[in-house]
Amino acid sequence: MALRPPPPRVWIWTAAALALVVVATLLWRGSSVAATDSTTAFAPEVPAQAPSGDLARVWSVGTDVPLPPGVVEGGRVVVPSADGVTALDPATGEEAWHYRRADAALCGLSASNGLVVAVFRGGDRCDEALALTAATGVRAWTRNLSLRGDATIAGTDQVVLASSDTGIVVIDPVGDNVRWRSAAEPGCTLVDTAVGSAGVALLQRCEGTAAVQVRLFDSFSGQARWTRDLAVADGTDVRLAGVDRLVGVVAGDALLVHRPDDGAQLQELVLPSATDGGAEGDPVLQVGVGDVALVWARGTVAALDRTSGAQLWQVPALGLPTASAVGKGEVGQAGVWVPESDGLVLRDPATGVETARVAVEDAPAPGGRAAVVGPVLVYALPDRVAGYR
């Protein structure tokens, strides 16, 4: 029996189906899904013990993208790259998970509240943000943005700050919504921004005045709390040290300390000279721990009272302990782990009294930020992070 060809409608349906497959394949190949390479992991179990014995460097990773102030989140070490982010096991430095994009470049990221919030640039604008669970790499949310291509990203508890010289945008890292925006005032340019427990601060220079203006906003409502003019000499380098507990502004070789509630200047502290353990170009770093603001400058950590701004104590140090460096020693004393030239030292934040000490082989370079994950010291410089155990 001779086979009869199928009716024309079958050929039409077959051709249509093939066309749909071809179109879908082409669309998929050109989509961000096809350009995304990502993995996930099980949540880690962070050991309860504190650093002890002699610590030695067990891993080190460099990056061409500046590291955020906080690299430890969810028991992982978060390392950005030009095309995405990689999360490492703090004990071994081995990769736990990654998220990378072949069709976009990373504008910046922030790690807080158990999330890594990364902002990407597909063209000339930073236009896509997503949050990944820090412990596992599982995506929490994705949203579109419209930020300038040169926007920088920073963050703290419950706040992600995107900024450029024309304005700022504040994002809720947990709920993914844009809380508020603020443009630079007419005739003004933003020269620095910072976010911390005290709020969102910005420095701006305006036409027609030699003064530099510092402003502080509420992180959640966007309400302007106060504005202060700083009289500085022409050519003086002015930048924000931090907005944790106190608002610190670096003006040349001085740290101007302001009260967060009304902006009143509490102190003008002379920064250590370059001969005291640092260089003139070294950054001034600030973080809040307990009831004090810790400030690292040119080889020295100083603790400032959050109410008066008075200096409570200071010690020579390689870098700044972060809020993740709070812990207890072997005998249970609480404190903050300070990275010093001859070891990692647990100190009472209020008094500076030493309560425990751990030797560290191959001391890291100065100017980094220290975090502690169980028995591991994680030390992050702007372009490199290392683990000591």
Side-chain angles (χ1 to χ4, degrees):
M1 178 178 177
L3 296 176
R4 283 188 279 180
R9 66 177 180 274
V10 174
W11 291 110
I12 294 172
W13 291 341
T14 302
L18 290 173
L20 286 174
V21 170
V22 171
V23 170
T25 301
L26 292 174
L27 289 174
W28 182 83
R29 287 180 177 177
S31 69
S32 61
V33 175
T36 299
D37 174 20
S38 64
T39 62
T40 59
F42 292 109
E45 294 184 6
V46 180
Q49 68 263 37
S52 60
D54 293 343
L55 301 183
R57 186 172 63 191
V58 293
W59 60 268
S60 179
V61 174
T63 175
D64 293 332
V65 178
L67 288 164
V71 299
V72 171
E73 188 66 28
R76 304 296 192 191
V77 180
V78 178
V79 181
S81 59
D83 61 353
V85 55
T86 301
L88 308 178
D89 182 323
T92 65
E94 295 178 356
E95 178 182 307
W97 59 263
H98 69 257
Y99 179 93
R100 303 188 186 105
R101 294 278 296 275
D103 64 339
L106 183 71
C107 296
L109 60 79
S110 169
S112 65
N113 302 104
L115 298 171
V116 178
V117 177
V119 179
F120 287 89
R121 178 177 60 249
D124 58 356
R125 298 188 69 81
C126 297
D127 54 7
E128 182 183 329
L130 80 156
L132 304 166
T133 304
T136 63
V138 174
R139 186 180 305 203
W141 54 259
T142 303
R143 65 158 298 138
N144 293 327
L145 293 173
S146 183
L147 306 175
R148 282 180 37 151
D150 59 352
T152 59
I153 310 300
T156 187
D157 183 41
Q158 301 184 63
V159 186
V160 173
L161 172 66
S163 59
S164 67
D165 59 6
T166 59
I168 57 178
V169 177
V170 173
I171 303 166
D172 177 358
V174 178
D176 87 354
N177 61 300
V178 173
R179 285 203 184 113
W180 54 274
R181 304 171 182 264
S182 180
E185 296 182 332
C188 299
T189 300
L190 303 188
V191 296
D192 200 8
T193 59
V195 60
S197 60
V200 174
L202 60 84
L203 287 176
Q204 64 182 15
R205 290 186 181 272
C206 302
E207 298 174 357
T209 177
V212 177
Q213 197 173 72
V214 56
R215 307 186 69 194
L216 186 71
F217 297 82
D218 183 273
S219 297
F220 297 91
S221 68
Q223 180 179 1
R225 290 181 176 174
W226 48 263
T227 301
R228 291 288 180 269
D229 288 338
L230 307 178
V232 296
D234 289 342
T236 301
D237 180 33
V238 182
R239 61 191 186 279
L240 289 162
V243 202
D244 270 324
R245 306 300 187 267
L246 299 163
V247 179
V249 180
V250 179
D253 287 323
L255 178 66
L256 310 180
V257 181
H258 298 82
R259 197 161 55 194
D261 56 354
D262 60 6
Q265 184 172 315
L266 298 171
Q267 299 283 347
E268 179 174 342
L269 303 174
V270 178
L271 295 173
S273 66
T275 58
D276 292 333
E280 293 293 346
D282 281 347
V284 177
L285 310 176
Q286 180 179 331
V287 70
V289 175
D291 289 329
V292 303
L294 296 177
V295 178
W296 182 88
R298 300 172 187 167
T300 299
V301 161
L304 309 180
D305 182 83
R306 69 180 303 173
T307 302
S308 65
Q311 182 172 294
L312 302 175
W313 54 269
Q314 70 173 28
V315 295
L318 290 175
L320 182 75
T322 67
S324 297
V326 174
K328 296 182 178 181
E330 290 183 317
V331 294
Q333 302 100 323
V336 59
W337 290 101
V338 180
E340 303 183 13
S341 60
D342 54 354
L344 191 63
V345 182
L346 190 68
R347 296 188 179 276
D348 185 316
T351 65
V353 171
E354 177 182 326
T355 58
R357 178 180 290 266
V358 176
V360 177
E361 300 177 8
D362 188 18
R369 298 177 187 260
V372 170
V373 188
V376 181
L377 162 65
V378 176
Y379 189 81
L381 292 158
D383 62 349
R384 178 164 294 275
V385 60
Y388 295 77
R389 186 173 184 178

